[in-house]
Amino acid sequence: MSVPAVRHLTVDAESAHQRLDNFLLRELKGVPKPLIYRIIRSGEVRVNKARARADTRLHPGDDVRLPPVRVPQRSPEAAPAVPARTFPVLYEDEVLLAVDKPAGVAVHGGSGVAFGVIEQLRRAHPQAPLLELVHRLDRETSGVLLIAKKRSALKALQDQFRQRSTGKTYLALVRGVWPAGRKVIDVPLHKYLLPDGERRVRVTDARDPQGQRSISLVRVLGTVQPPPDAPPDAPPMSLLAVTIKTGRTHQIRVHLAHCGHPIAGDDKYGDFEWNRWLSRSGLRRMFLHAWRLSIRHPVRGEELSLQAPLPPELAQWGEVQRFL
């Protein structure tokens, strides 16, 4: 282990415009994520001598003070081998790569995950000078995932996400019949950590200083009846297209559960008894899929519409494909 000491890091052009937490996760590889967030919340991390939040955006020349933190020194033999892996390509050019992420794969390593999509892609493309995640998807969610191949493209795309100028639509199968008149969910969310460091999100109200405004637009695509082998009291289900205007952690999952219509297979915010029946009937993952994403091309400026087909394990369940 390295000897802990106060460190000062200067933000260079390549690291500019990142969130503080993402910057530290890269600089403090091997340090547990809960510890990183704890030292930020406690004020031990300073940016230009001032306290900063996890979502503080860094600028070239910023001075980031780090408290004494032990960074594990791992020998090459001890480091887990990252397998090279490619994923179905939805779009690719000289600055941008869009892939179809499968469910069950994290987008990056950390929090008990040795590696994710981005590490496997870097291993599969060792000649690429840069591959960086533009945004994130939950481990359990499949669908469109953007990777930047140039720093300028990364910044331009992240600006679009921050300014809410992208169009992000997900497919979700939920319990019950969604009310036709419920088209907008505008409910603030509060993010917190469990004692073990795992992230959770709950609904809050406008009086909560930690609450973040969160907006989801809901469109019903169809009603799915339970399979023939379902118990007599099994509820019907609704296939929804949910467009998010804000990109909060677990936003769709928490919003839909809050409305009384949890997502099928959601093991964090769902109906656990219902999930057990769904698993026995063949649905063994969460039914949430990043279906469509619209962006402006970071170089050419034209509208770019990306779509990831519904994976077979979802498309074949309940004959939902007929609604798409």
Side-chain angles (χ1 to χ4, degrees):
M1 305 284 281
S2 59
V3 178
V6 171
R7 297 169 58 197
H8 286 265
L9 302 176
T10 300
V11 178
D12 59 18
E14 290 295 292
S15 300
H17 309 293
Q18 291 189 66
R19 288 168 48 119
L20 175 61
D21 54 355
N22 293 335
F23 175 74
L24 295 184
L25 288 168
R26 290 180 62 85
E27 292 292 333
L28 301 176
K29 291 188 183 298
V31 174
K33 186 181 292 186
L35 174 57
I36 290 176
Y37 282 98
R38 188 159 63 246
I39 62 176
I40 294 173
R41 289 195 305 271
S42 68
E44 295 175 82
V45 176
R46 300 280 175 141
V47 177
N48 300 328
K49 300 183 179 180
R51 291 178 70 120
R53 294 163 49 103
D55 59 359
T56 296
R57 294 284 170 178
L58 300 176
H59 300 91
D62 281 351
D63 175 72
V64 180
R65 176 200 181 275
L66 303 179
V69 177
R70 289 190 177 274
V71 179
Q73 301 297 312
R74 305 176 67 180
S75 67
E77 294 78 15
V82 177
R85 181 179 177 182
T86 57
F87 299 87
V89 175
L90 302 172
Y91 176 86
E92 184 173 15
D93 62 20
E94 68 280 4
V95 299
L96 178 64
L97 171 64
V99 300
D100 188 357
K101 184 189 90 68
V105 182
V107 294
H108 59 73
S111 295
V113 178
F115 50 82
V117 171
I118 193 64
E119 289 87 3
Q120 294 178 88
L121 282 173
R122 288 169 180 159
R123 186 64 181 269
H125 301 279
Q127 75 287 356
L130 179 79
L131 290 174
E132 291 284 356
L133 291 167
V134 174
H135 63 120
R136 291 173 172 78
L137 294 177
D138 290 346
R139 183 174 183 174
E140 302 90 344
T141 303
S142 54
V144 183
L145 181 66
L146 290 182
I147 293 98
K149 298 165 72 174
K150 288 190 176 180
R151 185 69 61 179
S152 57
L154 177 65
K155 181 184 181 303
L157 289 166
Q158 288 181 334
D159 285 345
Q160 289 184 45
F161 277 86
R162 195 157 48 246
Q163 295 161 6
R164 305 178 187 176
S165 60
T166 59
K168 295 179 285 185
T169 300
Y170 292 68
L171 295 176
L173 184 69
V174 302
R175 187 188 65 190
V177 177
W178 186 270
R182 188 73 189 265
K183 298 181 179 180
V184 179
I185 308 172
D186 186 353
V187 180
L189 300 176
H190 179 119
K191 184 165 58 175
Y192 63 99
L193 294 177
L194 295 177
D196 63 0
E198 188 173 357
R199 291 180 302 172
R200 282 289 192 277
V201 176
R202 61 175 174 81
V203 163
T204 186
D205 58 42
R207 295 169 297 177
D208 184 351
Q210 300 299 316
Q212 294 181 303
R213 190 180 185 192
S214 306
I215 303 171
S216 301
L217 310 180
V218 181
R219 179 166 58 96
V220 179
L221 298 179
T223 300
V224 179
Q225 297 301 325
D229 61 345
D233 60 347
M237 293 155 279
S238 299
L239 182 65
L240 308 178
V242 184
T243 299
I244 55 174
K245 306 305 289 184
T246 52
R248 311 303 183 197
T249 301
H250 298 170
Q251 175 176 323
I252 295 176
R253 301 166 69 173
V254 178
H255 269 176
L256 299 183
H258 170 70
C259 292
H261 298 273
I263 296 176
D266 188 343
D267 62 358
K268 288 185 172 66
Y269 308 100
D271 180 324
F272 305 120
E273 287 295 329
W274 183 52
N275 285 346
R276 276 196 282 271
W277 171 76
L278 291 171
S279 180
R280 290 195 296 270
S281 72
L283 183 63
R284 297 185 175 87
R285 56 158 289 194
M286 180 172 65
F287 202 120
L288 184 61
H289 178 68
W291 184 33
R292 292 174 173 169
L293 177 62
S294 297
I295 59 171
R296 294 188 313 279
H297 191 279
V299 175
R300 296 190 291 275
E302 78 269 19
E303 187 79 8
L304 186 61
S305 297
L306 306 168
Q307 180 169 321
L310 198 61
E313 71 270 16
L314 299 184
Q316 296 168 6
W317 199 89
E319 299 180 353
V320 298
Q321 189 68 46
R322 70 184 186 276
F323 296 117
L324 302 179

